[in-house]
Amino acid sequence: RSSETTVLMESFRLPNGISISLGRERFGAVEAFFKPLLWNCESSGLSDMIFEVIREADIDCRPDLYRNIILSGGTSLLKGMRERLEKDLNIRYTNDVLDGEQSRSPGWKPKVHAPDSRQHLVFEGAALFADYISDDSRFWVSKDDYLQNGIQQVLDKCSF
């Protein structure tokens, strides 16, 4: 947030060598993740979506979910993303779960983890899953099967 920094203008060098300076744009684009209404989008913000998903989970799982939120993907590399998300979730948790009374806290708070390798976590997870199912023919379409049956072979394997 712009109110939390003393540097409003920052210069960046683009891959083509051109330098640009950005001010409030640096914060406005990121703020859309948390307050989509600022950009005329009637969706919930990231913090609210995560909070609601956890609230819909089985009550016994919720403490583990609140304490183990893991950021992944390139967007999670944005400066301050982890801190902002954790702050918002703690506010929602205090207000909505503890009824605004911090004294009712079970001794922990929502925790957002941002591993150094988070920009690669989606790929790593997919690679692990692919390795796990590599010997199970129910999940794979061979080239011969595809050439014989076309896209229908893929669709049949993907049916839920």
Side-chain angles (χ1 to χ4, degrees), residues 47-151:
S47 307
D48 292 329
M49 284 192 278
I50 292 170
F51 186 82
E52 293 305 325
V53 165
I54 293 173
R55 276 190 95 163
E56 291 175 14
D58 184 80
I59 196 162
D60 295 330
C61 298
R62 291 179 200 166
D64 286 334
L65 294 174
Y66 281 122
R67 291 182 297 215
N68 294 292
I69 298 161
I70 300 173
L71 291 179
S72 67
T75 304
S76 71
L77 296 170
L78 291 168
K79 246 184 222 177
M81 177 71 86
R82 186 197 66 77
E83 294 83 0
R84 170 66 185 278
L85 187 56
E86 191 169 273
K87 177 184 158 200
D88 287 0
L89 288 168
N90 275 295
I91 290 169
R92 285 281 319 260
Y93 183 78
T94 300
N95 292 339
D96 296 7
V97 176
L98 304 178
D99 293 325
E101 298 178 35
Q102 191 64 43
S103 61
R104 295 182 60 211
S105 173
W108 54 265
K109 300 186 300 186
K111 178 74 176 153
V112 177
H113 303 274
D116 290 339
S117 64
R118 63 189 176 271
Q119 71 269 27
H120 304 296
L121 288 180
V122 174
F123 172 80
E124 290 173 10
L128 283 171
F129 182 69
D131 186 52
Y132 178 73
I133 64 169
S134 64
D135 294 329
D136 192 335
S137 64
R138 294 176 302 156
F139 297 103
W140 296 100
V141 174
S142 70
K143 181 179 178 182
D144 289 339
D145 286 341
Y146 182 79
L147 291 174
Q148 240 178 0
N149 303 307
I151 192 67

